[in-house]
């Protein structure tokens, strides 16, 4: 059994990801593992970087911005914003993110685009709602191509693909298979939009089988979230 340390948990997840990829005839090199560090201190990000991690995710703007500032520049580190984004916080997100996974409406895309004046291009993914609950984050599938066309017209954004979260209480595999179909629809609009961000600790094997290129793994690597009280 792998030792229960940060390095051990990281190695264990990477081994499981590699096994899941090979089981469906894929190369582990095709898959980017993003470590989501929600509620953990900036020092953990620095430690992860020392262990070779180069992709880190956060899902709340205030914590995200503060942590990026606390960590400071680290060679090769890419910050992914993976949570629901408010339009009014687009500028703050844009200031820190290399990738935003959760673009689900034209207003948000426009806000991120406006905030990018004089900045490097921003990689973005379209978050798709895989449920019938309109209150959940994500664009409705029947609006997907329209949003893809809109984002493709934003001068400082680069549309990379799609993102989704599997519905709670349902089998993940059919949901991720559906997402793969939505990804294909986006590629008909933007052929280079080949990324598929899907899969967390409990369902990354199903996501890999469906074609996920980016996984969002949290506590299985970072350990339990610190007590916030």
């Amino acid at each position: 059994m792998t030792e229960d340390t940060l390095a051990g948990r990281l190695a264990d997840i990477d081994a499981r990801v590699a096994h899941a990829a090979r089981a469906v005839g894929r190369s582990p090199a095709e898959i980017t593992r993003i470590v989501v560090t929600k509620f953990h201190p900036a020092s953990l990000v620095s430690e992860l970087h020392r262990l070779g991690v180069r992709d880190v995710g956060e899902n709340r703007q205030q914590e995200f911005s503060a942590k990026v500032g606390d960590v400071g520049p680290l060679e090769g580190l890419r910050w992914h914003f993976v949570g629901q984004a408010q339009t009014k916080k687009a500028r703050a997100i844009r200031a820190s993110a290399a990738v935003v996974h959760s673009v689900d409406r034209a207003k948000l895309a426009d806000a991120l685009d406006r905030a990018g004046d004089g900045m490097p291009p921003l990689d973005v993914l379209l978050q798709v709602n895989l449920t019938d609950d309109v209150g959940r984050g994500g664009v409705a599938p029947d609006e997907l191509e329209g949003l893809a066309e809109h984002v493709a017209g934003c001068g400082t954004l680069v549309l990379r693909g799609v993102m989704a979260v599997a519905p709670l209480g349902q089998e993940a595999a059919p949901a991720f298979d559906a997402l793969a179909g939505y990804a294909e629809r986006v590629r008909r609009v933007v052929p280079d939009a080949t990324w598929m961000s899907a899969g967390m600790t409990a369902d990354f094997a199903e996501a890999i089988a469906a074609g996920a290129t980016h996984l969002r793994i949290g506590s299985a690597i970072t350990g339990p979230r610190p007590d916030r009280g």
Side-chain angles (χ1 to χ4, degrees):
M1 180 177 293
T2 305
E3 185 181 359
D4 186 22
T5 61
L6 182 62
R9 293 189 297 269
L10 182 65
D12 179 64
I13 286 293
D14 284 350
R16 290 167 57 191
V17 168
H19 176 78
R22 294 187 182 108
V24 294
R26 298 183 61 193
S27 167
E30 300 173 10
I31 298 166
T32 298
R33 175 257 297 123
I34 301 162
V35 183
V36 180
T37 57
K38 179 180 177 181
F39 299 150
H40 289 275
S43 58
L44 182 76
V45 177
S46 299
E47 188 173 354
L48 286 165
H49 185 266
R50 286 195 293 272
L51 293 171
V53 170
R54 293 297 180 266
D55 292 273
V56 171
E58 287 288 334
N59 65 355
R60 298 182 181 217
Q61 178 273 317
Q62 190 170 358
E63 181 181 2
F64 176 51
S65 299
K67 197 172 290 184
V68 170
D70 289 344
V71 170
L74 291 175
E75 183 178 359
L77 187 66
R78 286 169 55 83
W79 288 94
H80 299 248
F81 187 80
V82 300
Q84 292 305 115
Q86 295 177 283
T87 302
K88 65 182 180 181
K89 296 183 177 180
R91 188 168 296 277
I93 292 170
R94 181 73 195 252
S96 299
V99 188
V100 174
H101 289 235
S102 48
V103 173
D104 60 0
R105 57 201 186 279
K107 282 187 175 181
L108 176 58
D110 290 341
L112 290 167
D113 189 34
R114 286 193 301 270
D117 187 32
M119 299 178 68
L122 176 70
D123 291 337
V124 301
L125 296 100
L126 306 185
Q127 182 175 357
V128 185
N129 189 346
L130 299 180
T131 77
D132 295 326
D133 181 0
V134 296
R136 293 291 296 270
V139 62
D142 61 359
E143 299 174 7
L144 186 57
E145 284 90 348
L147 182 58
E149 290 172 359
H150 186 90
V151 172
C154 293
T156 74
L157 306 183
V158 180
L159 180 55
R160 292 297 190 183
V162 298
M163 180 273 252
V165 179
L168 294 173
Q170 299 181 30
E171 292 291 327
F176 292 147
D177 286 342
L179 182 63
Y182 299 143
E184 175 60 30
R185 284 166 48 182
V186 169
R187 287 196 295 274
R188 292 180 196 141
V189 179
V190 179
D192 291 337
T194 57
W195 296 6
M196 179 172 154
S197 172
M200 297 185 282
T201 299
D203 54 24
F204 67 74
E206 291 89 341
I208 289 170
T213 60
H214 291 66
L215 312 176
R216 308 180 306 272
I217 311 284
S219 57
I221 294 173
T222 62
R225 292 172 179 167
D227 183 357
R228 302 181 74 211

